[in-house]
Amino acid sequence: MAPKAKPKPSLPATKPQTPPLEDLFSALHRHSENSQYDQVVEVADQVLLVAPGDEDAIRCKIVALIKSDAIDKALSTILASESLPIDLKFYKAYCLYRQNKLQDALESLNNLERSLMVLQLESQILYRLGKMDACMQNYEKLQKLKIDSLDVKSNIIATLVSAGRSNEIQGMMDALKVKASSSFELAYNAACSLIEKKKYAEAEQQLLSARRIGQEMLMDEDYADEDIESELAPISVQLAYIQQLLGKKQEAIEAYMGIISRNLADASSLAIATNNLIALRGTKDASDSLRKLDKLIEKDDGSKFFKLASGLDFKLSHRQRESLYSNRLFLLLQTNKMDQAQELASALPDMFPDSLTPILLQVAVLVKEKKVSKAEEILGQFAEKFPEKSKPVLLVRAQISAAAGHFQIAADSLSMIHDIRHTPATVATIVSLKERLNDLNGAAAVLDSAVQWWKDAMTEDNKLSVIMPEAASFKLNHGHEREAFKLYEELVKDHGNTEALVGLVKTAARTDIVKAESYEKQLRELRGLKGINVEVLEKTSGAKHVDGINVGKVEVVEEVKKAKSKKRKRKPRYPKGFDPANPGPAPDPERWLPKRERSTYRPKRKDKRGQVKGSQGAVVREKHDVSVSNATIGSSNGPNHKSSQGSSKGAATSEQPKALSKSRKKNRS
């Protein structure tokens, strides 16, 4: 064996020499200029080893981490530096904004000076929170700073569209001194405002213009074709949405499926296209639609909240995210996955606390589970907590209560809606519900209240002439003749219509005959009733139906008769090759009858040439023997095949052809 090599003595470890601080800052500046963010972080750490707590090095490191999308590391660096006398609140707010912790980000900006950067970030946070009015106030402050940024101007237009203020778009664009053709983002936002105004044809043309502008701009910047399609994907989705709004369902479905199948769009555009496609399908292919949405929605680990995949929580607006969750809940209800539906419904109110939709979805789940009382309780609590949003909630409560037979709760819910409780439709519904409860006094009180409200109302579209006749008719039908008489009398004096006068005569006939006769004289006489004796008419048994009544005939002019009698003569169609001049022999008239039924039919004679001559007894005995052998073979061909072994050889030989024919039939089957 070869001797083992002796290990060489290890040299003492030498500590790498740190470059001078000036060289480190020079390298830091060089890497920052070249956008080499990983090297910036590495050099910044070296600076902090030499000079712990250096403000410039910390800021460079945080910015480099943000630029390289390492948001978690950037926030950790900020939190580790909070003990230092460095103001990093703006960077902290931005990192929280990128992590979609919007409320925490907004709180981090509270004590900061309203600088340009702070106002822009705060506007973005408010936009993501759906607080468009507050966001617009910030942009108005930015306008006063006279910022000449096309991105900021595009954001202002987008905020107005999202706030539902599309009518102000053109004025704002004039004030900002921009046109829709200035950039494809502005053209896109202008098209969205036209969609809000329901000018779909103009919006479509504007979107096509936006796509053309975007293609030209991005091609000038040397974008690849796939990158251009990804950048302009929102325009393609919006064009498909216009087809959907125009009722062109098939074209919209094909457009959405094309966007999804190419998979070149950004994650937010793909999510919107998927959501709109599912909305177009409706209940068709519910399971497939649910699988598509499940790819976009996932649950946080160890939390009851849900989140969207691929960072969609950060990319989609408040309304878009709510639409995705709502559609998923509808599909869960459609596919009867009640456990998952209940889990999602309980999480949505906390995820969208200022929205009405989660409450309505939660109620839908409870109604599906036949827990109507619990649904009524939740809706009532929400109406008390948010009176400004109570109208749709109370309408839903009234509907589900009426459907469940809870008529009192339904009537109370409608009575609590101050905007519509005196309208004819609402009054009629409440009265009908009171009648079902046999609360006639309550129904009369509702009508009296409505009549008094319309008397006091100073509106052009007054419904008193609609409410009063119904109130009078109701009171007349339920035995309140005197109150009905007052209402009809007031109607006749104020409006003077014939229907009210008829009702007044009918009502007075029950209470005061003299007044009834006096009012009856105001009615116009009908034509043909002057010569009729009413007393004699009352004694008759009524009109009788008489058969055979001659109906007056209308004479028809001779020319008209001749015109009617003339019929169009059509040329007969003959078979191919048939000569009508030489038709030949006439066809057999019995050709459709069976041959045995024709007069020319003659049955065939039996062939007696093969008969055996001899004594009659011998022939009979032979026939008897053959029939016995046939019976034996017939029984052997039954289910019990063993019985065929007992048959005689002669019988088997004589019946062999029959056995072979049966086996061939079996082979065919």
Side-chain angles (χ1 to χ4, degrees):
M1 292 179 63
K4 292 183 179 180
K6 294 182 179 180
K8 296 181 180 179
S10 59
L11 298 174
T14 58
K15 189 176 181 179
Q17 189 175 4
T18 306
L21 200 57
E22 292 80 5
D23 295 343
L24 290 174
F25 273 108
S26 298
L28 195 63
H29 177 72
R30 184 175 65 256
H31 294 315
S32 299
E33 290 290 327
N34 296 329
S35 300
Q36 298 172 336
Y37 302 120
D38 293 337
Q39 286 82 354
V40 169
V41 173
E42 185 179 347
V43 175
D45 287 335
Q46 293 179 6
V47 172
L48 291 173
L49 288 175
V50 178
D54 186 87
E55 182 175 352
D56 294 332
I58 292 174
R59 288 182 183 275
C60 287
K61 180 179 179 180
I62 292 171
V63 171
L65 289 170
I66 291 173
K67 289 282 188 180
S68 58
D69 289 332
I71 304 300
D72 294 338
K73 293 182 179 179
L75 187 59
S76 300
T77 305
I78 293 168
L79 296 176
S81 305
E82 282 185 341
S83 59
L84 301 174
I86 305 173
D87 188 7
L88 301 173
K89 290 182 180 178
F90 177 80
Y91 298 108
K92 180 181 179 182
Y94 183 79
C95 290
L96 292 170
Y97 165 70
R98 291 289 302 272
Q99 289 181 339
N100 206 38
K101 298 176 181 178
L102 302 177
Q103 201 59 45
D104 296 338
L106 198 60
E107 292 174 1
S108 298
L109 296 175
N110 282 339
N111 299 323
L112 295 180
E113 183 184 353
R114 304 290 96 179
S115 63
L116 175 62
M117 294 175 63
V118 171
L119 283 173
Q120 285 182 321
L121 179 57
E122 189 176 37
S123 300
Q124 291 288 342
I125 295 171
L126 292 171
Y127 184 87
R128 298 280 303 121
L129 287 171
K131 299 179 179 180
M132 299 303 168
D133 293 334
C135 179
M136 198 60 211
Q137 291 176 3
N138 270 17
Y139 279 126
E140 288 172 357
K141 294 176 183 177
L142 287 170
Q143 277 183 268
K144 294 178 182 178
L145 298 176
K146 297 181 179 180
I147 300 174
D148 193 22
S149 171
L150 200 58
D151 291 338
V152 174
K153 294 176 181 179
S154 298
N155 290 343
I156 293 173
I157 302 300
T159 304
L160 284 175
V161 174
S162 300
R165 296 161 60 179
S166 297
N167 295 327
E168 304 175 25
I169 296 295
Q170 190 57 50
M172 181 60 70
M173 292 179 73
D174 294 339
L176 296 173
K177 298 179 180 180
V178 293
K179 297 180 180 180
S181 58
S182 300
S183 68
F184 72 90
E185 292 94 345
L186 278 170
Y188 174 81
N189 290 331
C192 293
S193 69
L194 291 171
I195 293 174
E196 290 289 330
K197 296 177 184 178
K198 298 183 179 180
K199 297 180 179 180
Y200 303 133
E202 296 179 29
E204 186 176 16
Q205 294 301 318
Q206 189 67 58
L207 285 171
L208 293 173
S209 175
R211 185 161 64 182
R212 177 179 52 79
I213 295 169
Q215 287 173 347
E216 292 175 357
M217 291 177 61
L218 296 174
M219 286 176 68
D220 291 341
E221 296 178 11
D222 295 330
Y223 273 66
D225 291 341
E226 293 183 356
D227 296 335
I228 292 175
E229 186 171 357
S230 177
E231 286 288 330
L232 302 180
I235 299 176
S236 301
V237 175
Q238 202 74 326
L239 282 168
Y241 180 59
I242 288 179
Q243 299 298 320
Q244 181 178 347
L245 294 174
L246 289 172
K248 299 177 181 179
K249 184 176 179 180
Q250 191 58 39
E251 290 86 342
I253 289 176
E254 290 175 0
Y256 286 135
M257 292 185 69
I259 294 168
I260 295 169
S261 62
R262 287 195 299 272
N263 200 24
L264 294 176
D266 59 307
S268 57
S269 298
L270 285 173
I272 295 170
T274 303
N275 184 67
N276 291 356
L277 178 62
I278 290 169
L280 264 177
R281 284 180 173 178
T283 57
K284 186 179 179 181
D285 298 331
S287 299
D288 180 62
S289 299
L290 186 58
R291 283 194 296 271
K292 284 182 169 63
L293 274 185
D294 285 341
K295 294 178 182 178
L296 302 175
I297 299 173
E298 54 191 27
K299 191 175 181 182
D300 276 342
D301 296 334
S303 173
K304 68 174 185 177
F305 294 109
F306 291 81
K307 67 177 182 179
L308 299 178
S310 304
L312 290 172
D313 283 311
F314 181 75
K315 298 173 183 177
L316 296 179
S317 66
H318 183 276
R319 187 170 61 178
Q320 290 168 339
R321 287 183 283 119
E322 188 179 58
S323 178
L324 280 172
Y325 287 114
S326 301
N327 283 339
R328 183 174 186 268
L329 185 52
F330 287 140
L331 291 172
L332 289 172
L333 290 176
Q334 188 67 31
T335 53
N336 290 322
K337 297 183 178 181
M338 299 307 300
D339 293 338
Q340 297 181 42
Q342 192 173 21
E343 184 182 17
L344 181 57
S346 61
L348 287 180
D350 294 328
M351 296 170 64
F352 304 97
D354 298 329
S355 177
L356 177 63
T357 305
I359 299 298
L360 300 180
L361 293 173
Q362 194 173 9
V363 167
V365 174
L366 291 172
V367 172
K368 182 81 171 179
E369 295 175 338
K370 298 182 179 180
K371 298 178 181 178
V372 179
S373 299
K374 181 65 175 176
E376 293 170 348
E377 180 184 352
I378 290 174
L379 291 171
Q381 292 174 353
F382 186 88
E384 292 178 3
K385 188 176 180 181
F386 303 101
E388 69 280 359
K389 301 178 182 178
S390 62
K391 182 177 177 180
V393 170
L394 291 172
L395 284 173
V396 172
R397 187 170 181 243
Q399 182 179 2
I400 64 173
S401 300
H406 305 165
F407 302 124
Q408 187 62 51
I409 297 176
D412 293 343
S413 299
L414 291 175
S415 301
M416 292 169 64
I417 308 174
H418 300 285
D419 297 346
I420 63 170
R421 67 178 177 181
H422 295 301
T423 58
T426 308
V427 171
T429 305
I430 296 175
V431 169
S432 177
L433 292 169
K434 294 284 186 182
E435 284 182 312
R436 293 197 176 195
L437 292 166
N438 292 322
D439 185 9
L440 300 180
N441 293 329
V446 171
L447 289 167
D448 292 339
S449 174
V451 169
Q452 189 61 43
W453 190 88
W454 284 109
K455 284 182 179 179
D456 299 337
M458 304 296 292
T459 58
E460 295 180 0
D461 188 20
N462 199 299
K463 300 296 182 182
L464 186 62
S465 60
V466 179
I467 296 289
M468 283 186 71
E470 297 298 329
S473 176
F474 177 85
K475 291 178 182 296
L476 181 62
N477 294 334
H478 291 88
H480 301 283
E481 288 88 359
R482 296 188 181 279
E483 296 178 16
F485 179 80
K486 290 180 182 179
L487 290 172
Y488 277 127
E489 192 173 28
E490 190 176 348
L491 271 172
V492 171
K493 289 179 181 179
D494 295 340
H495 301 282
N497 57 351
T498 305
E499 293 180 1
L501 186 58
V502 172
L504 181 59
V505 172
K506 289 169 60 178
T507 308
R510 299 187 185 184
T511 56
D512 193 340
I513 300 297
V514 177
K515 286 187 177 181
E517 290 177 349
S518 64
Y519 282 118
E520 185 268 338
K521 294 177 182 179
Q522 299 180 19
L523 291 171
R524 295 179 181 178
E525 293 185 0
L526 297 176
R527 294 179 182 179
L529 293 180
K530 285 186 177 181
I532 295 176
N533 191 337
V534 178
E535 294 180 358
V536 176
L537 184 63
E538 288 179 349
K539 293 179 181 179
T540 60
S541 58
K544 294 182 179 179
H545 177 72
V546 180
D547 295 332
I549 297 177
N550 293 327
V551 181
K553 297 181 180 179
V554 180
E555 295 185 1
V556 183
V557 186
E558 290 296 329
E559 295 179 358
V560 177
K561 288 182 179 179
K562 291 179 180 180
K564 289 185 177 180
S565 62
K566 287 182 180 180
K567 293 184 178 179
R568 183 182 175 185
K569 294 183 179 180
R570 295 183 179 179
K571 293 182 180 180
R573 298 180 65 182
Y574 298 109
K576 188 176 181 181
F578 178 76
D579 185 8
N582 299 312
D588 184 8
E590 296 181 349
R591 62 187 180 276
W592 308 116
L593 297 174
K595 286 186 177 181
R596 67 177 64 89
E597 296 179 11
R598 298 180 190 178
S599 59
T600 58
Y601 175 72
R602 295 290 182 271
K604 292 183 179 181
R605 298 177 62 184
K606 294 182 179 180
D607 189 6
K608 298 181 179 181
R609 289 174 293 180
Q611 291 184 357
V612 180
K613 304 260 180 161
S615 60
Q616 188 175 2
V619 173
V620 172
R621 186 172 57 253
E622 290 175 2
K623 287 183 178 179
H624 177 71
D625 294 339
V626 172
S627 64
V628 172
S629 63
N630 289 344
T632 307
I633 289 296
S635 64
S636 68
N637 289 330
N640 191 1
H641 296 284
K642 292 182 180 179
S643 62
S644 62
Q645 295 176 1
S647 60
S648 61
K649 291 182 180 180
T653 305
S654 63
E655 289 298 310
Q656 190 174 359
K658 289 187 179 181
L660 289 173
S661 66
K662 286 186 179 181
S663 66
R664 282 197 296 272
K665 287 181 182 178
K666 289 182 181 179
N667 289 337
R668 289 192 200 104
S669 63

